Amino acid sequence: MTHDMARGKRIREAISRGKFRKVHALAVELNVSVAAVSRWQNGGHTSLESACALARLLDVSLDWLLLGRGAIEAHKNSTISATELLWVMALRERSAAAQSDLIGPLEYIPREHSLS
């Protein structure tokens, strides 16, 4: 992966939120050098394997960590409830126009919390 300062910032944020207070402890857990972790924090190259291990260890979304897409904890909200499944199945049976008509009013209902 190429040099990416924004990715480095996300890595620093994930580390600061995690259970590892020392970079050395994180490096030991990942079986990499402290210099490698420092390089990642500064936006330097990381392999996909290391990025996956880092995301798993720090319990953050890989998509967020690498690309900045979604939320840091997006991976934790991947299950769908029975009610949501019923809605999805019902929408699939409707035309695109009907789907749009059904989804439109949802924009006017206040959200209880943000999923972003």
Side-chain angles (χ1 to χ4, degrees):
M1 290 177 193
T2 61
H3 192 82
D4 182 342
M5 292 303 294
R7 184 180 63 239
K9 182 178 178 184
R10 289 188 301 276
I11 289 172
R12 288 191 305 276
E13 180 182 345
I15 291 171
S16 71
R17 291 172 47 123
K19 61 185 177 186
F20 296 93
R21 296 292 168 228
K22 302 281 185 185
V23 173
H24 179 66
L26 178 62
V28 167
E29 191 70 27
L30 291 169
N31 197 30
V32 298
S33 68
V34 172
V37 176
S38 178
R39 182 177 63 245
W40 302 341
Q41 290 179 312
N42 291 310
H45 172 77
T46 180
S47 69
L48 184 56
E49 180 181 357
S50 293
C52 289
L54 184 62
R56 188 177 320 108
L57 187 62
L58 297 176
D59 195 24
V60 299
S61 163
L62 181 62
D63 213 21
W64 174 84
L65 188 70
L66 292 181
L67 305 173
R69 292 192 309 206
I72 191 169
E73 295 184 348
H75 65 294
K76 292 182 179 182
N77 193 14
S78 62
T79 59
I80 186 167
S81 71
T83 302
E84 291 169 322
L85 182 58
L86 287 173
W87 275 94
V88 168
M89 299 309 292
L91 282 172
R92 285 184 179 172
E93 297 170 355
R94 304 309 190 272
S95 68
Q99 289 177 14
S100 181
D101 289 345
L102 290 167
I103 291 172
L106 289 176
E107 295 302 319
Y108 295 101
I109 300 172
R111 295 178 184 211
E112 293 180 18
H113 58 82
S114 175
L115 296 177
S116 60

